[in-house]
Amino acid sequence: MKKAINRWLVVTGLLSIVFGAFLWKYRFAKGNVQYFEGNNSVELCEYIELNMLKTDVELIPYDGDRIKFVYKSIAPVEVMLGDNRLVVNESDELKVSFLTEEKTDFVFRLYLPKHTYRSLIVYTSTGSVLLDSFSCEAVSVITKSGDIASLNTSTPVQLSSVGGNVFLDFSNVVPDCSIVTRKGDAEIRFPAGSSVALSYETDTGRFRSELLSGSVKGSYMYSFSGGENLIHAEVERGLLTVSEK
């Protein structure tokens, strides 16, 4: 019985050494992350939904008549089109090589014809989201830990993150926008002289703005230049900064 156990221990030890040597060799011979790439275009549609995991998302306007997408992702990406709707899903079957230290940027870039869309919904887990000069009737962006940035905004947006930072930059302030972050920081920036009413809620967060005189009261309704366009900000723990550009 002892001899059988000893033989088994010897065999197990040898297999461990061989497997460890294989992984060490694989690390330096391969040394990269397995990833998926795509480059294609689809016809223009008015409803867009992106459901991603680790991959960053960038929405970029361009002069054209078809929606184009270019991506490099850590998991397969499925693109579906029908009923005036584009849906993109990133699979949860992640593919990563063993013991790799190489860092690869994963991003899904969506090039959108300059058009006013009906609806945009973006969800990512750890990926970040960037919108730039996007025109849409309703925009909803949700991340778990990724950052969100909406640049040159002139359309109603709802931006929400659990742990990421949120940046809302207006080219023209519109009402019914909201930003929410539980653990991150947030920033709102609008053109000088914009008429803004800011509804601010917080638990233990802080509020900073050079546009206000006197003390800051935490959760409160703040008014800038008349307070015509209502914006809601909820920053549970972090810092909310409001400024003009």
Side-chain angles (χ1 to χ4, degrees), residues 16-82:
S16 299
I17 294 172
V18 171
F19 186 63
F22 167 76
L23 290 181
W24 185 259
K25 181 179 179 182
Y26 186 82
R27 177 186 184 184
F28 290 97
K30 303 298 181 181
N32 59 2
V33 176
Q34 181 179 345
Y35 57 84
F36 300 84
E37 291 182 304
N39 186 340
N40 208 333
S41 67
V42 297
E43 63 187 51
L44 182 67
C45 55
E46 294 186 308
Y47 297 86
I48 300 172
E49 180 179 340
L50 306 176
N51 301 296
M52 313 302 286
L53 295 174
K54 294 179 176 292
T55 302
D56 295 341
V57 174
E58 297 179 2
L59 288 89
I60 304 168
Y62 87 108
D63 294 316
D65 57 2
R66 291 177 64 84
I67 297 176
K68 300 192 298 185
F69 55 89
V70 178
Y71 70 88
K72 177 185 286 186
S73 66
I74 202 170
V77 172
E78 180 184 31
V79 179
M80 297 176 289
L81 181 68

Side-chain angles (χ1 to χ4, degrees), residues 173-190:
V173 178
V174 292
D176 302 324
C177 293
S178 72
I179 60 174
V180 177
T181 179
R182 302 301 178 193
K183 301 177 182 179
D185 297 329
E187 181 177 357
I188 301 173
R189 186 182 300 168
F190 44 76

Side-chain angles (χ1 to χ4, degrees), residues 200-202 205 207 216-222:
Y200 173 55
E201 295 183 22
T202 184
F207 179 67
V216 174
K217 304 178 181 179
S219 296
Y220 197 68
M221 178 74 77
Y222 298 93

Side-chain angles (χ1 to χ4, degrees), residues 24-184:
W24 185 259
K25 181 179 179 182
Y26 186 82
R27 177 186 184 184
F28 290 97
K30 303 298 181 181
N32 59 2
V33 176
Q34 181 179 345
Y35 57 84
F36 300 84
E37 291 182 304
N39 186 340
N40 208 333
S41 67
V42 297
E43 63 187 51
L44 182 67
C45 55
E46 294 186 308
Y47 297 86
I48 300 172
E49 180 179 340
L50 306 176
N51 301 296
M52 313 302 286
L53 295 174
K54 294 179 176 292
T55 302
D56 295 341
V57 174
E58 297 179 2
L59 288 89
I60 304 168
Y62 87 108
D63 294 316
D65 57 2
R66 291 177 64 84
I67 297 176
K68 300 192 298 185
F69 55 89
V70 178
Y71 70 88
K72 177 185 286 186
S73 66
I74 202 170
V77 172
E78 180 184 31
V79 179
M80 297 176 289
L81 181 68
D83 297 327
N84 200 25
R85 181 181 300 272
L86 172 66
V87 179
V88 178
N89 295 319
E90 184 176 27
S91 171
D92 58 0
E93 298 176 3
L94 303 182
K95 304 292 183 182
V96 183
S97 60
F98 290 109
L99 299 175
T100 180
E101 294 181 356
E102 180 179 326
K103 293 183 179 179
T104 304
D105 293 328
F106 299 106
V107 61
F108 188 97
R109 290 189 177 93
L110 197 63
Y111 296 89
L112 296 164
K114 294 178 180 178
H115 174 79
T116 299
Y117 297 85
R118 298 290 298 276
S119 172
L120 170 69
I121 300 173
V122 180
Y123 170 80
T124 74
S125 180
T126 59
S128 63
V129 179
L130 172 64
L131 310 176
D132 191 354
S133 306
F134 187 73
S135 180
C136 186
E137 295 180 8
V139 175
S140 177
V141 179
I142 301 172
T143 74
K144 184 176 180 181
S145 60
D147 296 336
I148 304 172
S150 181
L151 308 180
N152 301 306
T153 306
S154 60
T155 192
V157 295
Q158 314 295 317
L159 312 177
S160 179
S161 179
V162 176
N165 299 323
V166 181
F167 177 48
L168 175 56
D169 167 70
F170 286 101
S171 61
N172 180 40
V173 178
V174 292
D176 302 324
C177 293
S178 72
I179 60 174
V180 177
T181 179
R182 302 301 178 193
K183 301 177 182 179

Side-chain angles (χ1 to χ4, degrees), residues 179 185-188 190 196-202 204-224 231 233-235 237-243:
I179 60 174
D185 297 329
E187 181 177 357
I188 301 173
F190 44 76
V196 176
L198 175 66
S199 170
Y200 173 55
E201 295 183 22
T202 184
T204 58
R206 295 165 293 139
F207 179 67
R208 180 176 64 195
S209 177
E210 296 180 355
L211 305 177
L212 295 174
S213 58
S215 61
V216 174
K217 304 178 181 179
S219 296
Y220 197 68
M221 178 74 77
Y222 298 93
S223 178
F224 305 89
I231 301 172
E234 185 176 342
V235 182
R237 303 181 189 177
L239 171 67
L240 171 63
T241 301
V242 176
S243 62

